Amino acid sequence: MKPVKIGICGLGTVGSGTFNVISRNQRDINARAGCDIIISQIGARRDNPNCNTGDTAVSRDIFDVVRNPDIDIVVELIGGTSVAKDLVLEAIANGKHVVTANKALIAEHGNEIFQKAKAAGVTVAFEAAVAGGIPIIKAIREGLSANSIEWLAGIINGTGNFILTEMRDKGRAFDDVLKEAQALGYAEADPTFDVEGIDAAHKLVILASIAFGMPLQFDKVFTEGITKITAEDVSYAQELGYRIKHLGIAKRGENGVELRVHPTLVSDKQLIANVDGVMNAVMVKGDAVGPTLYYGAGAGAEPTASAVVADVVDLARTLTADPEHRVPHLGFQPNELSDLTVLPMSEVSTGYYVRMNAEDKTGVLSTITQILSDAGVSIEALIQKEQAENVDTVPIILLTNRALEQHLLNAIEKIQALPTVVGDVTHIRVESLS
Amino acid sequence: MKPVKIGICGLGTVGSGTFNVISRNQRDINARAGCDIIISQIGARRDNPNCNTGDTAVSRDIFDVVRNPDIDIVVELIGGTSVAKDLVLEAIANGKHVVTANKALIAEHGNEIFQKAKAAGVTVAFEAAVAGGIPIIKAIREGLSANSIEWLAGIINGTGNFILTEMRDKGRAFDDVLKEAQALGYAEADPTFDVEGIDAAHKLVILASIAFGMPLQFDKVFTEGITKITAEDVSYAQELGYRIKHLGIAKRGENGVELRVHPTLVSDKQLIANVDGVMNAVMVKGDAVGPTLYYGAGAGAEPTASAVVADVVDLARTLTADPEHRVPHLGFQPNELSDLTVLPMSEVSTGYYVRMNAEDKTGVLSTITQILSDAGVSIEALIQKEQAENVDTVPIILLTNRALEQHLLNAIEKIQALPTVVGDVTHIRVESLS
C-alpha cells in the first residue's frame, strides 16, 4: 500500500509526544497499519527541546501544513477554539482527514465540523480529546455498539482527581493542594478550566453524544467545581464509607438526558472510587454488557500521543474505504441522531450528603429532619459530632436517599433560614453507580 | 446501504443472548451500523426457551447456515473445536465473514483459520472470545496501536475469580466454594477448564499474539490452576498486603516472551486486586500510554452477546472495504508477525510467596534463609507464626524479591530435603504490575 503522509500542527507537549512515539515505534506502527506512516511536515511557531525533528520539514506557518497537497492527514495539536477551528475547517475544505486532541473545539464546534467533514467525505478523529490514552471513544462507539447505553460516569480531569486524592490521603485543604498541583505542572497558573469542571464538561458532552446518539450540546451541561470541597467533607465522607470524586455523569432516563459534572460521593467499594492521583477512569453501563470500566492516564505527552497515533492508524486503515462505511463521528449515522431533551438540574434525582453547623439544643435535629421529610427527602444515615471546645455549634452530617434536587433545595432553603443553623448548608450529590 | 444478513449457529446461552440483544436494540444497532442487520437464519439442534425466535428461519442442520447463499456473516456460537472448526472453515470457503466467541477454536486453530480467511478475503472476528463484553481485543489491536506493548495481565476467568474472592471474603476452603460455584452455574460439572487455567490460557494466548504480533502458540503457555490454594495462603497474603488472583500474564523481555497463567499475589493497592466475584479485568502496559485497565463481565449471555454484536456491526461497516485495509486478525499484518521465543518457566523471574511448616527449633530459620541466599534468592518479608497447640511445627511464610524461577526451585528442593521441614513447600508467584 502507498504510504500515508501526515502533517503535525503544533509542537507543544502532545505534538512532541506524537512525533516521538511515531519515530520510536515506527516499525510496530507500520506493521499494524499495513502501510508506512510518514510525518511529512510539522507546522510550529517554535521548536521544542523535547523533540528532535531531524530532517522533517518544519514550517513556522501552521497553515502551510493544511495547504500542503502531499499531506493526507492533518494532526491538529495547537489547542484553543479560534485558530484551531480555522485550521481544521481549512484542512477539511482541502479534502484532508483530521486528527485532533482538542476537546474544547469538538465540544463547542463539533456539530459544524462533522457536518463539513461529511460533506467533504473526510473523517475527523478525536480519541485523544477525552481521557488521554484510554481508548474510551472507540470503546463506546465501536466496542459497545450492541448496547443501549444507560449511563456513564467518569473521572475525566486528572488535576481535580489529584487534588481530591491528596486531600483524602493527607487531610490537606483544597488551596494548599492546588498550589502543589501547580508547582508539579498538573494544574495551570489559571486553574479554572480544571477545578471548575469546564474541562470535564467538554469531555462529558463528547462521551454523552456518542453514547446516546445526540448532537453535541455543551451549553446544556450542569457544571459544579471542587473549589468548595473542604477537608472535613472528605473526612466525613470517608467515615460514611464513601470517597468524593469529581465525576462527569451522563444518564438517560424516561424524561430526558442528564448531563452533569459535580463532586460526587461514591462508595469506597466501587472500583472507580479507588482511581487515585492524576489517573482517569470512565464507567459505562450498557443494557447488554452491564457495567464496564476503562482506566488509564488522562493526560501527558505520550499517553495523549498514544490516542492521536491510534487515530492516525485507524485512518490509514480506512483511507480508501467508502466514506459511508466509516465509523460515524458520533457513533450513530448523522441522520439518526435524536433530539433527546437535556434535563435541568432541578429535575435530576440523586442521593445527597448534607452538612451544616447547628446549635446543640434540644429540638434542633427534629426540626431539621421534619423539614426534610416535609420536602419529600428521607434520611439514610446521620452523624452528629460532639461539640468542640470554644465552638457554639455542632456539625450535623446527613446522607439522604434519592430525591429530586428541587425538593432538596427547597428543604435547604428552609433549614438555612432557621436561627439555630449557622453558616451555609453544604450539599454534595451521592451516586450508587449501579 | 443494503442490509447485512447474518446466520446464527448455536442457540445456547450466547446464541440466545445474541438473538435477544439484536432484536431488542435493533434500532440503535442499525443506526450505528448505517445499515439494517437482519438475522436471516438460525442453525440449532433444538430451541431455547430463553429465546423467542418468532418468524426467523431455523434449521436443525447448522451447516445449512454456512451454505445459505443469502448470508453475509456466520456467527459461530456452538463452541468446541471439532464441528466448530469444520463450520468456520466451510463458511470461509463459501466467502462468508465469521464472528465467533470460541476461545479454544481461535487459540488452537487460529493460525490456520486466519490464513484461510485472508486467502478468501474475509474476516474472522472474535472479540467475544476473550473477557466477554470487555472490548479488550479492540483496545489492544486498535486503541493502543501506537504502543510497543510491554506486558499485559488479566483476570480472564470469572469462575476462578469468584472462587478466590469467596475464599478471601469468607475464609472458606477451595472445594467448598467450588461446589457453590457449580450450584450457581458459574462452574461446569467438570470444572477442569476453569480451575486448572486452561480457559485462561486460551484467552491469554490470543491477547499475547495481538499485543506482541506473533503467531498463536497455545502449547507454549505455562499453566497452573488454583486448586492448591488454601484458605491460609489467602489469609497470609492479606496479612502481607496482597490478594491472590489467578492471572494470565504475557510479558515481553530481552530474551523472549513469557506466557503464563498461575495464581499470583498482587498488592491490594492495585486496582486489579480489587476486581472481585465473576468480573474480569485486563491490565495492558504500553510504552507510550503507560498502564491501562479494562473491566467488565467476562461471561454470561448478554455480556458475551455485546461483543458478538459489536463484531457484527464492525463487519457491517467494513463489508465493502478492500480486504487489505481491514484491521488484521492479530493486529499486525500477517507478513509482519515475528518469531519471538516463548521462554520456559524456569527462565522467568518474579517475586515469590513461600510457605512451609518447620520444627520450632533454633537454627531452622537460619538454615532456610541460608539455602535461599546461596541460591540467589533474597528475602523481602517474613512471617513466623506462633506454634499452635498440639502441633509440632510452625508455619513460616516468606516473601522474596525477584528471582529466577529455576533458582527458587533449586532452593525449595534443598529446603524440602531438610529433616526439620515437614510436608510440602508451597510457592506462589508475586507480581508488582508496574
Side-chain angles (χ1 to χ4, degrees):
Chain A
M1 276 198 274
K2 80 190 227 309
V4 169
K5 292 181 178 170
I6 72 172
I8 297 177
C9 296
L11 206 59
T13 305
V14 181
S16 61
T18 301
F19 184 92
N20 291 337
V21 167
I22 292 179
S23 308
R24 186 177 68 233
N25 290 342
Q26 195 160 34
R27 220 185 130 264
D28 275 12
I29 291 169
N30 292 346
R32 287 186 173 114
C35 63
D36 288 348
I37 291 171
I38 294 168
I39 303 171
S40 285
Q41 192 176 14
I42 293 168
R45 262 176 268 162
R46 60 188 76 85
D47 290 339
N48 184 327
N50 297 322
C51 189
N52 176 6
T53 53
D55 293 340
T56 312
V58 179
S59 166
R60 292 298 168 211
D61 181 353
I62 49 169
F63 283 84
D64 285 350
V65 176
V66 301
R67 290 166 195 156
N68 180 340
D70 266 1
I71 281 174
D72 305 300
I73 303 171
V74 170
V75 180
E76 183 277 302
L77 300 171
I78 59 171
T81 52
S82 53
V83 181
K85 187 182 175 195
D86 295 342
L87 188 84
V88 165
L89 291 180
E90 188 166 337
I92 291 169
N94 293 343
K96 296 180 193 309
H97 298 285
V98 174
V99 173
T100 177
N102 194 328
K103 57 219 87 171
L105 180 68
I106 298 298
E108 297 179 24
H109 304 288
N111 296 328
E112 178 189 350
I113 289 169
F114 298 152
Q115 203 177 8
K116 298 215 162 128
K118 185 175 158 57
V122 298
T123 296
V124 175
F126 50 95
E127 180 65 78
V130 182
I134 309 172
I136 183 64
I137 290 177
K138 182 174 283 287
I140 301 175
R141 204 160 61 171
E142 304 172 42
L144 303 183
S145 61
N147 292 265
S148 173
I149 307 290
E150 299 174 1
W151 54 263
L152 60 87
I155 296 172
I156 44 183
N157 181 274
T159 310
N161 201 45
F162 172 80
I163 292 173
L164 291 173
T165 303
E166 285 290 301
M167 288 176 73
R168 189 192 76 231
D169 275 0
K170 296 171 188 156
R172 294 167 67 186
F174 173 81
D175 288 332
D176 178 28
V177 184
L178 174 59
K179 283 195 195 98
E180 186 192 337
Q182 287 169 321
L184 287 169
Y186 293 159
E188 306 283 331
D190 175 359
T192 313
F193 260 54
D194 290 324
V195 299
E196 294 296 0
I198 303 160
D199 174 73
H202 279 141
K203 295 165 180 168
L204 178 68
V205 82
I206 296 172
L207 292 180
S209 288
I210 291 171
F212 304 140
M214 58 194 249
L216 295 151
Q217 297 170 67
F218 173 64
D219 55 325
K220 301 243 176 88
V221 185
F222 171 85
T223 307
E224 188 181 297
I226 55 169
T227 56
K228 287 173 191 156
I229 300 294
T230 65
E232 344 166 41
D233 290 326
V234 172
S235 148
Y236 292 139
Q238 244 182 320
E239 213 172 305
L240 290 157
Y242 290 84
R243 292 188 176 173
I244 302 181
K245 291 291 175 189
H246 200 198
L247 296 186
I249 298 173
K251 198 179 277 188
R252 175 150 56 174
E254 274 175 35
N255 305 320
V257 169
E258 302 170 16
L259 295 180
R260 46 196 171 95
V261 173
H262 54 69
T264 314
L265 268 74
V266 183
S267 161
D268 58 17
K269 290 190 179 56
Q270 285 274 358
L271 215 52
I272 199 169
N274 293 285
V275 170
D276 287 335
V278 293
M279 300 306 276
N280 280 203
V282 181
M283 278 187 86
V284 184
K285 171 86 191 301
D287 68 337
V289 75
T292 58
L293 179 142
Y294 310 84
Y295 163 91
E302 294 213 352
T304 311
S306 171
V308 168
V309 176
D311 275 347
V312 170
V313 172
D314 268 359
L315 279 172
R317 282 168 171 164
T318 57
L319 223 47
T320 59
D322 169 3
E324 295 299 316
H325 282 76
R326 295 188 195 125
V327 179
H329 290 107
L330 293 177
F332 289 70
Q333 297 297 324
N335 59 341
E336 298 281 358
L337 294 180
S338 52
D339 55 349
L340 293 162
T341 308
V342 179
L343 294 175
M345 200 61 200
S346 57
E347 292 178 31
V348 166
S349 76
T350 72
Y352 300 92
Y353 158 100
V354 182
R355 178 175 56 82
M356 66 197 80
N357 285 300
E359 287 173 20
D360 195 9
K361 285 183 184 158
T362 320
V364 173
L365 195 59
S366 74
T367 309
I368 291 167
T369 54
Q370 189 61 50
I371 291 173
L372 285 163
S373 165
D374 290 348
V377 181
S378 67
I379 294 168
E380 193 191 299
L382 190 149
I383 309 180
Q384 187 168 14
K385 288 282 160 186
E386 296 289 301
Q387 193 162 347
E389 274 182 68
N390 306 319
V391 181
D392 292 334
T393 58
V394 288
I396 295 173
I397 297 101
L398 299 166
L399 219 52
T400 79
N401 289 313
R402 278 173 72 91
L404 212 55
E405 176 113 347
Q406 190 57 59
H407 292 170
L408 182 85
L409 294 177
N410 294 345
I412 286 181
E413 198 183 342
K414 286 184 184 148
I415 291 170
Q416 195 113 36
L418 293 174
T420 46
V421 170
V422 179
D424 285 343
V425 177
T426 299
H427 74 288
I428 307 177
R429 296 163 193 91
V430 182
E431 285 288 344
S432 65
L433 304 180
S434 61
Chain B
M1 274 198 276
K2 81 190 226 307
V4 169
K5 293 182 178 167
I6 71 172
I8 297 177
C9 295
L11 205 59
T13 306
V14 180
S16 61
T18 300
F19 184 91
N20 291 337
V21 168
I22 292 178
S23 309
R24 186 176 71 233
N25 292 342
Q26 193 161 35
R27 221 185 129 264
D28 275 13
I29 292 169
N30 292 346
R32 287 187 173 113
C35 64
D36 289 348
I37 290 170
I38 295 166
I39 303 172
S40 287
Q41 193 177 13
I42 293 169
R45 261 176 269 164
R46 61 189 76 84
D47 290 338
N48 184 326
N50 297 322
C51 187
N52 176 4
T53 53
D55 294 339
T56 312
V58 179
S59 167
R60 293 296 168 212
D61 181 353
I62 49 170
F63 282 84
D64 284 351
V65 177
V66 301
R67 290 166 194 157
N68 180 340
D70 265 1
I71 282 174
D72 304 300
I73 302 171
V74 170
V75 180
E76 182 277 301
L77 301 171
I78 59 169
T81 52
S82 53
V83 180
K85 189 182 173 195
D86 294 341
L87 189 85
V88 165
L89 290 180
E90 186 165 340
I92 291 169
N94 293 344
K96 296 181 193 311
H97 299 282
V98 174
V99 172
T100 177
N102 193 328
K103 58 220 88 168
L105 179 67
I106 298 298
E108 297 180 24
H109 303 288
N111 296 327
E112 177 189 349
I113 290 169
F114 299 152
Q115 203 178 7
K116 297 215 162 126
K118 185 175 157 57
V122 298
T123 296
V124 175
F126 51 95
E127 180 65 78
V130 182
I134 309 173
I136 184 62
I137 289 176
K138 183 175 280 288
I140 302 176
R141 204 161 60 170
E142 303 172 42
L144 303 183
S145 61
N147 292 263
S148 173
I149 306 291
E150 297 173 2
W151 54 264
L152 60 86
I155 296 172
I156 43 183
N157 181 277
T159 310
N161 201 44
F162 171 79
I163 293 174
L164 291 173
T165 302
E166 284 291 301
M167 287 177 72
R168 189 191 77 231
D169 276 1
K170 296 169 189 156
R172 294 167 67 188
F174 173 82
D175 288 331
D176 178 29
V177 183
L178 174 59
K179 282 197 195 95
E180 187 193 337
Q182 286 169 322
L184 287 168
Y186 293 159
E188 306 283 332
D190 175 0
T192 313
F193 259 54
D194 291 323
V195 300
E196 294 296 359
I198 302 160
D199 175 74
H202 279 141
K203 295 165 181 168
L204 178 70
V205 82
I206 296 173
L207 293 179
S209 287
I210 291 171
F212 304 139
M214 57 195 249
L216 296 151
Q217 297 168 68
F218 173 64
D219 53 326
K220 300 245 178 86
V221 185
F222 172 85
T223 307
E224 187 180 298
I226 56 170
T227 54
K228 288 175 191 156
I229 301 292
T230 65
E232 348 165 38
D233 289 326
V234 171
S235 150
Y236 291 139
Q238 245 183 320
E239 213 172 302
L240 290 158
Y242 290 83
R243 291 187 178 173
I244 302 181
K245 292 290 176 189
H246 200 198
L247 296 185
I249 298 173
K251 198 179 276 188
R252 175 150 56 176
E254 275 175 36
N255 305 320
V257 168
E258 302 170 15
L259 295 181
R260 47 196 171 96
V261 173
H262 54 69
T264 314
L265 269 73
V266 183
S267 160
D268 58 17
K269 292 192 177 55
Q270 285 274 357
L271 215 52
I272 201 168
N274 293 285
V275 170
D276 286 336
V278 293
M279 300 304 277
N280 280 201
V282 181
M283 280 188 83
V284 184
K285 170 84 190 307
D287 68 336
V289 76
T292 59
L293 180 143
Y294 310 84
Y295 163 92
E302 293 213 353
T304 310
S306 171
V308 167
V309 177
D311 274 346
V312 169
V313 172
D314 268 0
L315 279 172
R317 281 168 172 165
T318 57
L319 224 46
T320 60
D322 169 1
E324 294 298 316
H325 282 75
R326 296 188 195 126
V327 179
H329 290 106
L330 293 176
F332 290 70
Q333 298 296 324
N335 58 342
E336 298 281 357
L337 295 179
S338 51
D339 54 352
L340 292 162
T341 308
V342 178
L343 294 175
M345 200 60 199
S346 56
E347 291 178 30
V348 166
S349 80
T350 72
Y352 300 92
Y353 160 99
V354 181
R355 178 174 57 82
M356 66 196 81
N357 286 299
E359 287 173 18
D360 195 9
K361 284 184 186 158
T362 320
V364 172
L365 195 61
S366 74
T367 308
I368 291 166
T369 55
Q370 188 62 48
I371 291 173
L372 285 163
S373 166
D374 289 348
V377 181
S378 67
I379 295 168
E380 194 191 297
L382 191 149
I383 308 179
Q384 187 169 12
K385 290 281 160 185
E386 296 289 301
Q387 193 163 348
E389 274 180 70
N390 306 321
V391 181
D392 291 334
T393 58
V394 287
I396 296 173
I397 297 100
L398 298 166
L399 220 51
T400 78
N401 289 311
R402 276 173 72 91
L404 213 54
E405 176 114 345
Q406 189 58 59
H407 291 170
L408 182 85
L409 294 178
N410 294 345
I412 286 181
E413 199 184 341
K414 285 184 185 147
I415 291 169
Q416 195 114 33
L418 292 174
T420 47
V421 170
V422 179
D424 284 344
V425 177
T426 297
H427 74 287
I428 307 176
R429 296 163 194 92
V430 182
E431 283 290 341
S432 64
L433 303 181
S434 62

